[in-house]
Amino acid sequence: MFVSKSLDVNNLGHLTVGGLDAVALAERYGTPLYVMDEDLIRENCRAFKQSIDRYYDGRGLCTYASKAFCCKAVCRIAQEEGLGLDVVSSGELYTALQAGFPMERVYFHGNNKTPAELTMALESGVGQIVVDNLEELQLIGSLSRAAGRETDILFRIKPGIDAHTHDFIRTGQIDSKFGLALENGEAMEAVDEAMAMKGVRLKGLHCHIGSQIFDIAPFELAAEVMIRFMGEIQRRYGKTLEILDLGGGFGIKYVDSDNPSSYDEYMQRVSKVIHRCCGEEGLPIPYVVIEPGRSIVGPAGTTLYTVGSVKEIKNVRTYVAIDGGMTDNPRYALYQAAYDLLVANRAAEPKTQTVTVAGKCCESGDLIQENARIQEVGPGDILAVLATGAYNYSMASNYNRIPRPPVVMVSQGESRLVVRRESLEDLLRNDL
Ligand SMILES: *Cc1c(COP(=O)(O)O)cnc(C)c1O
């Protein structure tokens, strides 16, 4: 019935998240409110980890791409579930450090890491740095030599795969700001430099072909391209790279028409390609890393709002205004992301009307969804937007000086605050 298994309806006709009444949660913590089903997050972590263990004999790692939703609580969950962690900035790294995340399981990504960020990564003992470009390679080399150490690196490769997803979130093809291209020799040039360089140890290769991908074929193709390149490196240098990091990008169900493949099927089919290609190239099976973000936290999140005004513009549309907007969920404004939504206090009723849900920001594009089917709705109702666990809180802003909502986790019938609501004082903390 719902896009996420976290959701149900109770005998009051209210939406439940992780078994708890959403209307009661909204009353207790206020709105807007992000609710995350911790049990579902853990279940997703385990599903990925188990399929890695199954298809690679335990020689692999699922790292959580923390940019999807980064806070101390989620870093601790990833740690407890035995995952690694991807970070792309000093802020995400700092969060991981403060959460006590083991640094050897951290992968540091990003297409323009600053010298200060790289220094922080080296000083904190980050396990692997995924190098995006030649300038960064030089920088890491010199910082490492100055510190008298050797740094484990991977190269981010553009495997040149079009994953048929939205242009804004497609990052695998040659016209991308991320990584080193294969076809123009850039990637091999980087390998040549790294092999000759003191201060770095080239451990492996990385790619990430996009996001919200439903098909398995592009992942299979990317894995093949990467193994072929590993074979080339082997023949050129007699050096076997140990790590193959295949990135994230697994699609989730936002609306009924979305039909993502199962992670286990993905893992099985990609591992077949890896085994076959490694055989053909005469390579041992590498240590395989995957980096799911959205698929770990996305389905676990629900955002709750209180409806304010409802504006029916005859023969045009009906605007339902909520007490949040693009400040807590900019994904519709950014790329017309589809969401399923419903009236949490009337969750058992049929959806009888089509509305546009608008936020409270001073932008006409501040919409959460257009042409959304929804139950009868009026002022004071609690509106729920589903599958908002990824790229919502992490993309939130303070536009119009709107404080960011809190995050509540529910687990085994209990709720707890994991990120406080920003206060008005918080908004002024850096004003002088
Ligand atoms: C964004 C990103 C991920 C996670 O992508 P999802 O689509 O959320 O799974 C993983 N790895 C890298 C390098 C990324 O940039």
Side-chain angles (χ1 to χ4, degrees), residues 4-17:
S4 164
K5 65 204 267 189
S6 170
L7 307 171
D8 209 341
V9 179
N10 66 15
N11 53 14
L12 297 172
H14 293 177
L15 177 72
T16 61
V17 184

Side-chain angles (χ1 to χ4, degrees), residues 168-201:
F168 290 2
I169 44 180
R170 186 170 67 197
T171 54
Q173 74 294 48
I174 189 165
D175 180 10
S176 165
K177 70 170 182 170
F178 297 103
L180 300 153
L182 288 173
E183 48 269 68
N184 60 9
E186 192 180 31
M188 193 54 101
E189 190 187 329
V191 172
D192 291 345
E193 282 191 27
M195 294 299 291
M197 185 179 284
K198 292 212 162 46
V200 297
R201 275 189 302 249

Side-chain angles (χ1 to χ4, degrees), residues 65 67 86 109 156 206 208 211 248-250 291-294 391:
K67 70 172 191 238
D86 280 9
H109 292 271
R156 176 159 187 167
H206 164 266
H208 172 71
S211 202
F250 317 110
E291 309 175 325
R294 185 192 312 274
Y391 305 109

